[in-house]
Amino acid sequence: MFSINGKKYNKSSDEELMLLIIQGNHRAFEELYKRYSKNMLYFFYQRLQQNNEKSQDFLQDLFLKVIEKANRFDSSKKFKIWLYTMAANMCKNEYRRVEVRGVQVGDFDFNELFQESSTAHLADKFDKNLFTRLLTNELSKLDENHSLTFELRYINHLSINEISTVMECSEGTVKSRLFYTIRKLSHKLEMFNPYNEAN
Amino acid sequence: MEIFNLELERLLKGKPFIDLTGSDKEYILKHISEEEYTRYHLILKATIETYGTTSPLKPKASIEKNLKKAFNAKYKKPLFNLDLLQFKLPQLSTAKMILASTCLLFMAYFIFISLPSPKVIVQVKSIKKHEEQNKTYHPNIVSIEEKQPVTIRKERAEKSINHQQKNTKIKRKDENTVSNNDTTLLCLTIDAEPIGLNVNPEDYEPGLTANIPPSFNNLNRD
């Protein structure tokens, strides 16, 4: 498929597609949606305690905002950052709305699970499902800025510079938050620590 | 000193401490201990392996439909609005389409009229009238007209009468008709003029060329 200027939609940059969207080009919007829908859904899924239904609603709301606010988009800036900024703000507003933040990590007893083996060494017994649940649980207990920084970096794969723009802080602050979060998680998820041998 | 830099992060996301080079180990130990490196390395490695690079989730199909409706509602204005009938086209795209179509039409028109008209080579043998006089006639095209068959039949009938009445005249007209379709005929009126006695016809052009109106195409008759 070709855009009006002869370039294929899938070869156009995000910013070029946004300019076409402002002119009412639906094909350009479809291409942007195709590029970002899965990743943004996953972003919401992580931020909203793995609630799939809510994540789908938020995804739709996010792209409705893209349609409504397309003419406010500054084409000199990156679309990806604009999109993640809107998504992060949506989650922030949701947190403020919801009084209790928690996560359902399953109806089993963790202590019982880990007492079954002397060590839950990562190299020997790595259960992805378990790790995901525990990580999500621990991240939800952290400060929102720290958990968001960690997820944007290691789950959504944004650069330090992009994260600093989304979160409106310096790159040094981003690095500091990342290091703090990794250190905190390594203590909380000690069962995966090979040095933590049971007696 | 910045304790968490991109180089340290790169190493943490890579190999276990035991598999690092000497220089890398030395670099790491300037910032964190081996135990810390191992713990952080495992957390990052587990996170990256668990979440991967692509999302395992899929958006619902209904989201795309809803977004399309919302997009059309915002960006597409009705071209005209009747109670029962409403066509919607994007305003800017409509203007561009109309402009582009108009330009194409003009271009097509200018190309069409500047195209060379097909020509018909009419081979007319030299007409010899009154062989005893050895006169040679050089044909000249008098006119090219599009005529209806009824008109042609009428003219032929008149000419036949005239010819009988004026058969003593040297100058005569001949007609070649080239048919393109059943409704209209192309009539080539050729006038044969005497060019002199004992003249070699080969000294003259072997045939005549004439511009045929554009409505007659694919003429292949000599």
Side-chain angles (χ1 to χ4, degrees), chain A residues 37-63:
Chain A
S37 55
K38 279 190 180 178
N39 286 341
M40 297 318 297
L41 178 62
Y42 203 34
F43 172 82
F44 286 127
Y45 186 73
Q46 285 303 119
R47 299 301 299 158
L48 300 174
Q49 290 83 44
Q50 302 185 340
N51 185 327
N52 190 29
E53 278 304 311
K54 203 177 237 182
S55 306
Q56 299 277 356
D57 292 339
F58 269 60
L59 175 69
Q60 180 172 286
D61 288 344
L62 176 67
F63 278 92

Side-chain angles (χ1 to χ4, degrees), chain A residues 48-193:
Chain A
L48 300 174
Q49 290 83 44
Q50 302 185 340
N51 185 327
N52 190 29
E53 278 304 311
K54 203 177 237 182
S55 306
Q56 299 277 356
D57 292 339
F58 269 60
L59 175 69
Q60 180 172 286
D61 288 344
L62 176 67
F63 278 92
L64 283 172
K65 283 181 192 291
V66 170
I67 294 170
E68 291 300 319
K69 297 180 182 182
N71 52 354
R72 286 191 232 170
F73 171 69
D74 183 357
S75 55
S76 63
K77 296 187 180 163
K78 286 179 81 173
F79 170 78
K80 187 180 178 182
I81 293 175
W82 184 63
L83 192 69
Y84 271 97
T85 306
M86 282 201 294
N89 289 336
M90 285 170 70
C91 293
K92 205 183 284 185
N93 293 338
E94 179 65 12
Y95 290 153
R96 286 177 194 151
R97 196 183 66 80
V98 176
E99 285 184 11
V100 177
R101 286 193 294 138
V103 61
Q104 298 297 326
V105 292
D107 52 1
F108 55 86
D109 189 342
F110 283 109
N111 289 330
E112 189 180 319
L113 180 71
F114 291 113
Q115 276 166 10
E116 282 175 4
S117 60
S118 56
T119 57
H121 192 286
L122 191 64
D124 295 331
K125 272 193 196 179
F126 181 51
D127 184 342
K128 277 188 181 177
N129 194 31
L130 175 64
F131 179 80
T132 305
R133 288 179 166 185
L134 289 173
L135 180 67
T136 307
N137 185 36
E138 293 304 325
L139 282 172
S140 69
K141 292 176 185 173
L142 291 172
D143 172 63
E144 190 192 323
N145 286 331
H146 287 90
S147 61
L148 180 59
T149 305
F150 183 86
E151 286 172 16
L152 286 175
R153 181 74 178 146
Y154 300 117
I155 298 175
N156 301 107
H157 310 290
L158 265 67
S159 67
I160 301 287
N161 179 260
E162 286 169 345
I163 296 171
S164 72
T165 310
V166 168
M167 301 194 69
E168 296 175 340
C169 61
S170 67
E171 289 188 18
T173 304
V174 172
K175 290 175 189 174
S176 167
R177 285 174 182 169
L178 283 174
F179 186 66
Y180 172 86
T181 308
I182 292 169
R183 203 170 49 191
K184 197 82 174 177
L185 289 172
S186 69
H187 287 299
K188 293 291 181 181
L189 299 174
E190 271 190 276
M191 68 286 293
F192 294 104
N193 182 2

